[in-house]
Amino acid sequence: MPAVADLSTAFPSFRLHELRQPLALNHFKKSVLGARHRPGNPQTREVAKVFSLAGMEWRLDPRTWRQWFNDPPRKARPDAVAKLDGHFDRTAELSPSAMMPPRVLGPTFYFDLIEGGLIDKLLRRTNAKPPIKTLLYRVYEYKPTSSLHLHLDALECAALQYEGGEVPCNELKAMAAKRILELIYERWRPGEGSIYKELSSSLELELISDGFQVRMKDAPSPDWMEIGVSEDFASSDIHKVLFMLAADTGFLRADRIDAWILDFASAGVAAYALAQTNSRAGDPFGLRPECRYWDAIRALFFGDGDKIDFDEYLERSFLLKGRNFMQDVEINLIVARERYREWLRDWGLSGQMISELALFQPLSPLIFVGGR
C-alpha cells in the first residue's frame, strides 16, 4: 500500500480487508437472513435467494462469493461489494434482525466498511512537503459512516505500526486516536451530543399515552451528576466517562445500551492506541490510571474465557473516580461484555481474534517491591 511514510512497512498488523471483509459480509448476512444466519458460512444459496426476492440479479460466481469467506479471504471487488448496499436501495431499510445503530445506514454502508476507514486515508501517498498539514486535514475532515465504522478505525489505529518515514508512526497513531476520541466525544458530550437524538426518549420507553406526544421525542440524557461526572470533561476522557456511565441504570435501556456498548469499546481501544504513543506508558509514575482503565476495558471486551475477575480489573478502575462499585454496575458491564461478544460471533470474529490481530497488550506496569 502506498503510504505517507513512503515505506512498504507502514501497515496495521493485519491487512485491512482481513478484518473488515469478514465483518461486513457476516453483518450483511445477519441483516438479511436473521436467525438463519450462520457466521463464517457463505450460505450462497440463501443469499442468492435474498437478492432474487428483492428483484435483483445477483450476477456473482458462487465460487467467488465462497472465496470471500476463506481464511485468509479473497479480496472482494468494490463493484461487487456495492451490490450489498444496492440490496437495501431496493428494500428501503434493514430487516428487524439488524442489530447495530444507526437506524439509517446510508447508501454506501458496506462499501465503506470494506474499502474505507481513517487509517486507509492516512496511509495514502501525499506529495506535500512536509506532509503533516495534509495529514492533519485528512484527520479532521474524516467522518465515519457509522459507529461500527468508527469501531474498526479504533482497532486499526491500535494495530498501526511502521518504522522510519517523514511522519513517525507514533505521531500518526496519536493523530488518529485523538480524532476517534473526539468523534466519540461529539456523540456523547452533555447537552449537545449527536447520539441523543438517535435514541429512544424516556417517555417512549415508558409507553406514555398519546396526550404526551409532544414530549415523546425529547432526547434522553445521562444523569451526569448522579454518576459523578463533570459535564465539562475533555474528549481525551471519553473512555473513562463511558466507563462511569455503567452506573446510570436509568439511562442504559433498550437501544441506548447498544449504542453505549460499541462506543465504549471504541473509546477504550482508541485510548489504548494513544497511550501507546506516550513514552511513559509503562512508567509507574506516568500513565498508571490510564493504564488501569485500558486493562479493565481489554479484559471486559477482549479477554479470554467466559468469566472476568471484577475485583482485579473493573472495580479498581471504577473506584479511581471514587464511586461505589454496585451490583447494578456489574450487571451493566456483564451485559456489555456478553452483547459485544455476541456481535463478534455474528460477524465471524471473537475477542481473542481481535486481540491477536490488533496486538493488544496490558499497559499496567509491574511494580516490584524489593526486600532485604
Side-chain angles (χ1 to χ4, degrees):
M1 175 187 298
V4 296
D6 289 334
L7 290 172
S8 60
T9 56
F11 64 105
S13 61
F14 50 89
R15 287 185 290 181
L16 299 185
H17 74 281
E18 290 185 13
L19 178 65
R20 288 179 169 270
Q21 184 165 304
L23 188 154
L25 297 178
N26 280 288
H27 187 289
F28 175 82
K29 284 204 306 106
K30 174 67 176 180
S31 298
V32 298
L33 298 180
R36 292 177 291 130
H37 167 62
R38 298 293 178 265
N41 188 320
Q43 297 181 270
T44 310
R45 291 183 179 179
E46 291 91 334
V47 172
K49 184 176 180 180
V50 162
F51 279 88
S52 177
L53 292 174
M56 297 179 66
E57 191 173 351
W58 183 217
R59 288 186 179 177
L60 186 66
D61 188 327
R63 292 174 298 177
T64 299
W65 173 257
R66 288 193 291 269
Q67 288 171 347
W68 290 358
F69 288 84
N70 287 348
D71 184 18
R74 176 180 176 179
K75 182 70 168 65
R77 300 191 320 272
D79 60 325
V81 174
K83 288 187 175 294
L84 304 184
D85 291 305
H87 173 269
F88 293 113
D89 290 339
R90 287 291 186 95
T91 57
E93 61 183 13
L94 279 173
S95 67
S97 63
M99 56 193 168
M100 294 304 304
R103 294 167 183 170
V104 180
L105 297 185
T108 59
F109 181 89
Y110 289 104
F111 181 86
D112 294 342
L113 268 185
I114 295 180
E115 298 294 331
L118 176 58
I119 299 303
D120 177 71
K121 291 183 181 298
L122 291 179
L123 292 182
R124 293 177 185 173
R125 187 180 300 278
T126 174
N127 294 322
K129 298 292 183 179
I132 191 67
K133 290 185 178 180
T134 298
L135 296 180
L136 286 171
Y137 177 80
R138 291 178 183 178
V139 165
Y140 291 107
E141 284 292 305
Y142 178 72
K143 297 286 186 182
T145 303
S146 78
S147 55
L148 181 56
H149 294 75
L150 190 60
H151 188 59
L152 284 172
D153 291 332
L155 295 173
E156 291 172 350
C157 179
L160 184 66
Q161 55 180 263
Y162 62 85
E163 296 180 358
E166 293 186 51
V167 180
C169 181
N170 276 354
E171 189 172 351
L172 195 69
K173 185 191 289 273
M175 290 165 51
K178 289 177 182 178
R179 179 56 177 160
I180 293 166
L181 291 170
E182 287 170 356
L183 287 165
I184 299 172
Y185 169 74
E186 289 173 7
R187 287 168 59 77
W188 290 93
R189 64 188 301 179
E192 302 176 4
S194 61
I195 189 69
Y196 304 116
K197 61 185 179 182
E198 300 175 12
L199 304 175
S200 299
S201 72
S202 297
L203 288 176
E204 283 179 305
L205 295 181
E206 296 297 338
L207 300 178
I208 299 300
S209 65
D210 292 342
F212 293 88
Q213 285 296 319
V214 175
R215 297 280 311 282
M216 288 284 279
K217 296 301 180 182
D218 284 356
S221 177
D223 191 338
W224 301 111
M225 182 177 296
E226 176 63 23
I227 63 176
V229 172
S230 170
E231 293 194 14
D232 60 352
F233 60 85
S235 59
S236 57
D237 289 330
I238 188 60
H239 64 296
K240 292 183 280 189
V241 170
L242 293 180
F243 199 118
M244 297 298 296
L245 196 55
D248 194 340
T249 55
F251 176 81
L252 292 178
R253 296 182 289 163
D255 55 344
R256 304 175 190 176
I257 197 165
D258 284 355
W260 166 67
I261 291 168
L262 193 59
D263 281 342
F264 179 22
S266 299
V269 173
Y272 165 70
L274 186 58
Q276 285 180 305
T277 69
N278 190 307
S279 60
R280 298 185 66 195
D283 184 344
F285 303 101
L287 295 177
R288 189 177 178 190
E290 301 300 323
C291 296
R292 287 293 187 190
Y293 275 103
W294 161 247
D295 284 346
I297 294 170
R298 178 182 57 82
L300 181 68
F301 292 114
F302 307 105
D304 295 338
D306 296 326
K307 295 184 179 180
I308 183 170
D309 189 334
F310 280 87
D311 180 65
E312 180 181 359
Y313 291 109
L314 305 184
E315 185 169 356
R316 291 182 185 179
S317 296
F318 203 82
L319 293 178
L320 287 174
K321 283 289 187 180
R323 305 294 297 173
N324 292 326
F325 191 81
M326 302 169 293
Q327 183 178 6
D328 287 345
V329 173
E330 183 172 333
I331 290 173
N332 282 334
L333 291 174
I334 291 175
V335 168
R337 174 181 171 84
E338 293 306 313
R339 195 161 298 179
Y340 180 75
R341 290 159 75 92
E342 178 185 344
W343 292 337
L344 291 182
R345 287 192 294 270
D346 282 335
W347 301 333
L349 304 170
S350 69
Q352 182 177 357
M353 183 188 303
I354 288 181
S355 184
E356 292 173 355
L357 286 172
L359 304 178
F360 288 155
Q361 297 290 334
L363 287 179
S364 291
L366 295 174
I367 300 176
F368 296 93
V369 180
R372 294 183 178 178

